[in-house]
Amino acid sequence: MTLLKAVRGTRDLLPPETELWDRVESTARRVFARYNFGEIRTPVFEDTQLFARGVGEETDIVSKEMYTWEDRARAQSEKSQSLTLRPENTAGVVRAYIEHKLGETGLLQKLYYIGPQFRRERPQKGRYRQFWQIGAEAIGPPSAGSESPLRDAEVLEMLASFLDELGITGWTLVLNSVGSASDRPKYVAALRDALAPVKDQMSPDNQRRAETNPLRVLDSKDPADEAIIATLPKIADYLDDESKAHFAAVLAALDACGVKYEVNPRLVRGLDYYTRTTFEFTHGGLGAQNALLGGGRYDGLSEMLGGPKAPGIGFAMGLDRLILTLKTAEGASSGAPQFALADAFLAPLGEALNAPALELARELRRHGLRIELGDGTFRLRKSFEIGNKLAHNIILLGEDEQASGILTVKNFATGEQTKIPRGELAQTLKNS
Ligand code: ATP
Ligand code: MG
């Protein structure tokens, strides 16, 4: 029989590495809570139309990376439907915002999510087909201040604080403004004109983009096209006064709180919904896949999905890439975790002691101790061998110990063996 393996581009996360994942996730929850964000969990699959409309038909994600299938009707009352595993989570959050009429609260909605996303990309370091994102969105009616440049700056400052708290140093915040729905068409027209005479010299992907979605050419990762891209017009020269003032206010607020950044006039992002501020945090330790996270403002997305006017700003971090950075980058405060040793290995000496051992383990665990429970079929020697691999101490529970209520405990590090009354065991182990 051929052995089944995890599908290409997916992988298993095992302990102790999962402890690192847990640490990153709990740091995000803790930091975001300070900014008054609450958690949202949306379904892992959605109607394909959500992404076609929300992310954009011409994007790489929608045109070639989605896992889409036709879900057959199971009953007369149902219709078959095209479904897609979510390739990103912003569209789902905005759908939920509209569906639950969250705008009617009149308040800014601040929502974060943690979960897997799916894209059929070429797997490589830092790029998988199932990957994890931690993201957040601040979205609401304009009366709630959702368009304010202060929101952009606050989200960026939150990200800087999160990375600092995680112990990731050496990141760079790169940002740009891609203008509003009103000034973007002028720029796209200028880009089209500039691309027309040179596009034949570009990679096939960019030749196609030059026709269908010229902004995407700037997002190209093909080094061969860099020289041409450097000659193209800059979006900064096409922003209207309002967009310019908005961007200047974002930068001023960042300056005021001391968050360092670089403006990159070529930064556009791979999703169609962005307006005004777009940004990435990059990290040199990641190699070709150097973006730790990306995000931006999406003032028209809700309306594109048939909802009310609800400007917003958000980001998505690649959790896989945060982990890679923590594991490899110098300057990270801690590397990959080791297996943590249990407080004690509890060895029942004989099968008749299995049930009493489970009872004792329950008692110790209720005191918060980490206990590995052996088995009465193990020889004493085997119990010591396993215990030494997994725990700081071994507790022996034989007939005598069970009858007298005095346990024998040996500490592996010191070699010291002591007799401890059952009532004092938990406290003694805690202090040791
Ligand atoms: P990239 O330029 O690296 O392809 P992207 O522009 O497609 O990223 P977004 O769609 O904005 O990225 O997603 C936000 C973040 O999610 C990225 O910055 C990255 O950290 C992470 N990410 C995106 N695609 C993948 C993937 N296939 N595997 C792992 N992480 C990913
Ligand atoms: Mg991508």
Side-chain angles (χ1 to χ4, degrees):
M1 236 198 293
T2 50
L3 284 182
L4 294 170
K5 291 186 175 169
V7 172
R8 187 169 138 79
T10 73
R11 67 214 202 284
D12 304 306
L13 306 171
L14 306 172
E17 186 176 313
T18 37
E19 282 178 28
L20 192 51
W21 286 68
D22 188 48
R23 176 148 63 82
V24 176
E25 290 171 19
S26 49
T27 304
R29 291 177 192 282
R30 195 173 61 241
V31 172
F32 297 173
R34 277 185 225 144
Y35 293 76
N36 216 20
F37 277 78
E39 186 183 7
I40 180 170
R41 301 187 190 197
T42 67
V44 163
F45 55 86
E46 299 262 6
D47 192 313
T48 304
Q49 277 304 308
L50 175 65
F51 306 114
R53 279 200 257 161
V55 178
E57 301 267 13
E58 295 301 337
T59 59
D60 283 354
I61 294 179
V62 174
S63 64
K64 52 187 187 198
E65 296 173 357
M66 295 204 304
Y67 287 96
T68 297
W69 71 100
E70 195 64 20
D71 201 41
R72 275 179 295 137
R74 309 248 346 218
Q76 293 251 296
S77 56
E78 283 182 3
K79 279 199 286 200
S80 69
Q81 196 180 8
S82 176
L83 301 179
T84 294
L85 287 179
R86 61 183 186 200
E88 58 94 61
N89 221 151
T90 300
V93 171
V94 176
R95 181 209 33 79
Y97 173 92
I98 298 167
E99 188 169 335
H100 302 287
K101 299 187 168 48
L102 299 182
E104 289 179 12
T105 60
L107 300 170
L108 193 68
Q109 301 294 308
K110 297 201 270 185
L111 304 164
Y112 77 87
Y113 58 83
I114 300 179
Q117 316 293 336
F118 307 85
R119 297 182 193 174
R120 190 185 286 108
E121 301 195 71
R122 190 167 70 77
Q124 48 199 298
K125 182 185 171 196
R127 191 178 294 291
Y128 311 95
R129 291 181 167 183
Q130 172 171 333
F131 59 100
W132 275 259
Q133 285 185 335
I134 302 181
E137 320 291 347
I139 177 173
S143 61
S146 57
E147 279 175 299
S148 166
L150 182 59
R151 296 280 76 80
D152 308 39
E154 188 186 25
V155 160
L156 290 164
E157 188 276 322
M158 176 169 90
L159 283 165
S161 293
F162 167 76
L163 292 173
D164 288 347
E165 200 151 323
L166 206 53
I168 292 182
T169 56
W171 48 261
T172 308
L173 161 57
V174 187
L175 73 172
N176 189 24
S177 175
V178 294
S180 66
S182 63
D183 48 25
R184 194 119 57 108
K186 280 179 281 164
Y187 176 62
V188 172
L191 211 49
R192 234 182 254 281
D193 289 348
L195 280 166
V198 292
K199 69 173 192 297
D200 292 348
Q201 301 154 37
M202 301 187 99
S203 61
D205 264 352
N206 276 335
Q207 291 186 21
R208 183 176 50 80
R209 292 188 188 113
E211 301 282 339
T212 57
N213 195 347
L215 262 186
R216 291 284 81 77
V217 172
L218 302 184
D219 201 24
S220 159
K221 303 223 162 55
D222 205 326
D225 294 338
E226 258 169 36
I228 293 178
I229 290 173
T231 66
L232 296 173
K234 292 194 176 112
I235 196 158
D237 299 330
Y238 291 79
L239 298 186
D240 62 22
D241 289 345
E242 241 182 296
S243 288
K244 274 188 199 152
H246 192 276
F247 193 46
V250 175
L251 301 186
L254 289 176
D255 289 336
C257 67
V259 172
K260 299 257 182 305
Y261 59 84
E262 285 172 14
V263 174
N264 176 354
R266 308 273 173 207
L267 180 78
V268 298
R269 311 248 326 112
L271 303 92
D272 274 356
Y273 50 61
Y274 287 117
T275 50
R276 294 191 170 161
T277 315
T278 56
F279 57 85
E280 278 181 2
F281 281 68
T282 59
H283 197 284
L286 281 167
Q289 274 61 248
N290 70 349
L292 279 176
L293 65 94
R297 182 164 270 292
Y298 45 84
D299 290 343
L301 179 56
S302 171
E303 288 151 290
M304 279 161 65
L305 296 175
K309 188 169 168 60
I313 174 141
F315 61 83
M317 306 193 263
L319 186 44
D320 310 74
R321 293 187 196 173
L322 291 173
I323 301 284
L324 268 176
T325 309
L326 278 175
K327 279 166 63 177
T328 58
E330 322 143 8
S333 65
S334 55
Q338 307 289 312
F339 262 111
L341 289 178
D343 294 302
F345 181 88
L346 174 54
L349 304 180
E351 280 179 77
L353 290 150
N354 271 349
L358 181 61
E359 192 209 342
L360 176 58
R362 176 171 158 96
E363 192 180 307
L364 296 174
R365 286 167 177 155
R366 283 188 169 181
H367 279 90
L369 290 160
R370 183 165 173 156
I371 303 296
E372 176 82 19
L373 182 57
D375 193 272
T377 60
F378 295 173
R379 297 290 181 104
L380 195 58
R381 199 178 133 160
K382 180 167 171 183
S383 289
F384 269 90
E385 270 172 19
I386 304 176
N388 200 10
K389 282 188 192 144
L390 297 179
H392 292 293
N393 300 284
I394 184 165
I395 306 168
L396 303 177
L397 181 65
E399 297 290 353
D400 289 351
E401 284 84 2
Q402 176 65 2
S404 66
I406 311 275
L407 284 306
T408 304
V409 179
K410 182 172 176 179
N411 182 295
F412 288 113
T414 62
E416 191 189 354
Q417 188 159 313
T418 44
K419 302 258 182 210
I420 303 172
R422 184 164 175 152
E424 293 168 22
L425 186 57
Q427 202 49 51
T428 311
L429 287 173
K430 277 191 180 174
N431 295 342
S432 77

